[in-house]
Amino acid sequence: MNEPMPDDELDSRFTRQRKVDRQNAPSFHAMRTRSLETPPGGQSERSTLWWGWVSGSVVALALAIAAWQHTHPHPAPRQRQPELLAQQLDAIDAALQKTMAAQHDLSAWQSPTDFLIPPIQHLDQP
């Protein structure tokens, strides 16, 4: 098993690493000089080319899709023949009539003992 490293040794390793990093890092003056010597837009030219390539690809893809749709038009919806439409309307009407008849049978039902209950009369009527 690995045993934890003592704090003193860990601190000395980090100190050595910081020294190496400082030696390898360019100075502020060198970085400033390089940035002043680099023509402005050097980086943006690459991004402009990249965006040009992306937009060109999108336009090419859109044109390819439009050309494909033009050569392969969607088929027109089939026109229903009047006889088929009439049959469907008759089937719908028959189903509606059957449902209405079933509802009427349920609402018209009366108990066989309904005659035993006298009709309710309002108190203000004789």
Side-chain angles (χ1 to χ4, degrees):
M1 301 268 332
N2 292 340
E3 292 185 25
M5 197 178 295
D7 287 341
D8 295 338
E9 187 178 341
L10 194 58
D11 284 339
S12 67
R13 286 188 179 191
F14 274 115
T15 304
R16 283 186 300 214
Q17 185 62 46
R18 284 189 207 105
K19 284 181 186 177
V20 170
D21 288 344
R22 271 190 234 115
Q23 290 172 355
N24 292 336
S27 67
F28 174 77
H29 180 70
M31 291 179 64
R32 182 178 179 276
T33 305
R34 186 173 50 186
S35 83
L36 291 174
E37 290 173 353
T38 304
Q43 183 71 11
S44 66
E45 287 177 13
R46 270 191 250 147
S47 63
T48 303
L49 289 174
W50 186 81
W51 280 109
W53 182 83
V54 168
S55 61
S57 299
V58 169
V59 169
L61 180 64
L63 288 174
I65 291 172
W68 183 80
Q69 285 185 343
H70 182 68
T71 58
H72 297 87
H74 294 289
R78 288 188 285 164
Q79 298 295 326
R80 296 188 178 210
Q81 297 176 357
E83 297 83 21
L84 178 62
L85 187 58
Q87 289 174 355
Q88 289 176 344
L89 286 174
D90 289 341
I92 292 170
D93 185 48
L96 181 63
Q97 295 298 331
K98 184 178 177 183
T99 303
M100 289 175 62
Q103 287 177 354
H104 177 70
D105 289 345
L106 288 175
S107 63
W109 180 83
Q110 291 183 350
S111 168
T113 58
D114 273 352
F115 69 95
L116 297 175
I117 301 174
I120 297 175
Q121 294 181 356
H122 293 295
L123 297 175
D124 59 342
Q125 294 179 352

